[in-house]
Amino acid sequence: KAGVTQTPRYLIKTRGQQVTLSCSPISGHRSVSWYQQTPGQGLQFLFEYFSETQRNKGNFPGRFSGRQFSNSRSEMNVSTLELGDSALYLCASSFYLWASAGELFFGEGSRLTVL
Amino acid sequence: AQSVTQPDIHITVSEGASLELRCNYSYGATPYLFWYVQSPGQGLQLLLKYFSGDTLVQGIKGFEAEFKRSQSSFNLRKPSVHWSDAAEYFCAVGYNNAGNMLTFGGGTRLMVKP
């Protein structure tokens, strides 16, 4: 069974550009969550989608957005990139609605560098 | 606000020695507690989780953790560390009515001396 797939794995952008990251969850999983990982702030929750609906949102500016498609694949978008957006963006999927019910499976991440 | 603290940023142990990684959380009710491991360039892998019941939980790769409500702690232990355990370890907390949103601690980087 394939794991969580994130594309692209690495990308370099310049300030002011926008970026779209993609996440394909494990087959059958309908929950997709996104996290930002930086050396300074650690792992921070961005948002979660379940059945195409955003369920939770972290404390990030409106430049960060996401969506989920009917096949559960998810994308996140960051507009007007800033240097501080350089990070590893991790996607996690779950079969369940609640963290208490089952495991989150993480992808290997998309490493974004903003110059 | 809920928070998770991992007091040790770096820990170095000798191969074969025992290991304990500390985790403290701040939350009013009983949390759902997790330990994840991240190897360089990789995503996170779940080691173990605690939801309720027996406060000593067993995980993969020989790890265990003990939930102590009185100390708001969920420390990770391993009796004998292997060189392949070198990685970064994250404690995380989930909550009722928060879906799959987790709050992570800052992580502890484990180095293993031969």
Side-chain angles (χ1 to χ4, degrees):
Chain A
K1 185 163 156 179
V4 178
T5 303
Q6 293 188 243
T7 57
R9 289 291 313 280
Y10 303 90
L11 66 166
I12 299 173
K13 295 284 187 179
T14 57
R15 279 180 295 176
Q17 288 187 310
Q18 74 163 11
V19 67
T20 299
L21 308 178
S22 178
C23 172
S24 294
I26 291 172
S27 178
H29 288 193
R30 290 187 291 162
S31 166
V32 174
S33 307
W34 289 90
Y35 290 82
Q36 182 196 63
Q37 185 177 23
T38 60
Q41 299 298 316
L43 278 154
Q44 294 187 287
F45 173 79
L46 281 157
F47 25 67
E48 181 198 0
Y49 289 87
F50 189 92
S51 294
E52 302 179 66
T53 301
Q54 187 179 88
R55 300 178 67 211
N56 293 291
K57 189 176 191 308
N59 189 25
F60 279 83
R63 301 185 297 108
F64 291 80
S65 63
R67 59 178 175 170
Q68 187 180 34
F69 302 96
S70 58
N71 62 358
S72 294
R73 189 178 70 86
S74 177
E75 289 181 348
M76 65 163 284
N77 183 275
V78 188
S79 62
T80 319
L81 285 166
E82 301 177 358
L83 295 179
D85 297 333
S86 295
L88 181 67
Y89 290 88
L90 291 165
C91 170
S93 77
S94 175
F95 179 81
Y96 298 99
L97 276 170
W98 313 104
S100 58
E103 179 178 348
L104 285 186
F105 291 86
F106 282 83
E108 294 183 322
S110 293
R111 183 166 296 281
L112 169 65
T113 301
V114 181
L115 301 177
Chain B
Q2 302 89 349
S3 65
V4 180
T5 303
Q6 294 179 245
D8 304 305
I9 298 175
H10 293 99
I11 281 185
T12 301
V13 300
S14 298
E15 191 169 16
S18 63
L19 171 70
E20 182 168 27
L21 303 182
R22 296 183 291 164
C23 172
N24 294 95
Y25 66 91
S26 169
Y27 181 55
T30 299
Y32 309 121
L33 296 159
F34 307 83
W35 274 100
Y36 283 87
V37 61
Q38 184 179 35
S39 298
Q42 302 294 311
L44 279 72
Q45 181 183 21
L46 180 69
L47 287 174
L48 47 78
K49 59 191 177 189
Y50 171 79
F51 296 155
S52 64
D54 192 350
T55 56
L56 184 64
V57 293
Q58 302 296 321
I60 63 172
K61 305 185 180 186
F63 285 93
E64 66 177 26
E66 186 171 13
F67 170 60
K68 293 186 177 180
R69 184 188 304 275
S70 61
Q71 299 176 20
S72 296
S73 70
F74 188 57
N75 294 349
L76 182 72
R77 300 193 295 248
K78 186 169 185 178
S80 178
V81 169
H82 188 263
W83 64 267
S84 60
D85 294 324
E88 188 150 23
Y89 292 79
F90 293 93
C91 181
V93 177
Y95 316 97
N96 276 332
N97 302 319
N100 284 300
M101 181 176 70
L102 300 182
T103 298
F104 284 86
T108 298
R109 183 167 296 281
L110 172 66
M111 290 178 283
V112 181
K113 292 190 299 185

